[in-house]
Amino acid sequence: EKALEVTLKLIMSTVMSDGEKIDKYKALVETMVGALGEENVVTLETLNSLGVELGQNGELEESRKVFERSLAGQEKVLREDHKKT
């Protein structure tokens, strides 16, 4: 699963504009939520990646909301004392 995410990031970084990457990340997150659930670790990591992309493109308020959603899910799944939270 991690290899797929890395491959997707590489493809998106080389052939897509920033706006296209954000749109693809949003679509990917929603697909993953439907297929794997909101509380799946890979879904949450992809959600975090969306937050990074939004932040890098100056969409700070939306980025913050996405990071908060990702963190809340990670705390629930991994527990608050896990190194990723």
Side-chain angles (χ1 to χ4, degrees), residues 40-82:
N40 177 278
V41 174
V42 177
T43 301
L44 294 168
E45 288 175 354
T46 305
L47 189 60
N48 192 70
S49 295
L50 170 60
V52 169
E53 194 66 40
L54 288 164
Q56 289 176 342
N57 288 284
E59 297 182 40
L60 302 180
E61 184 61 27
E62 188 174 359
S63 176
R64 182 187 60 79
K65 290 177 183 177
V66 169
F67 280 134
E68 288 175 352
R69 178 178 165 196
S70 176
L71 179 60
Q74 289 182 34
E75 288 176 342
K76 186 173 183 181
V77 172
L78 302 174
R79 305 290 182 236
E80 289 184 23
D81 58 342
H82 191 277

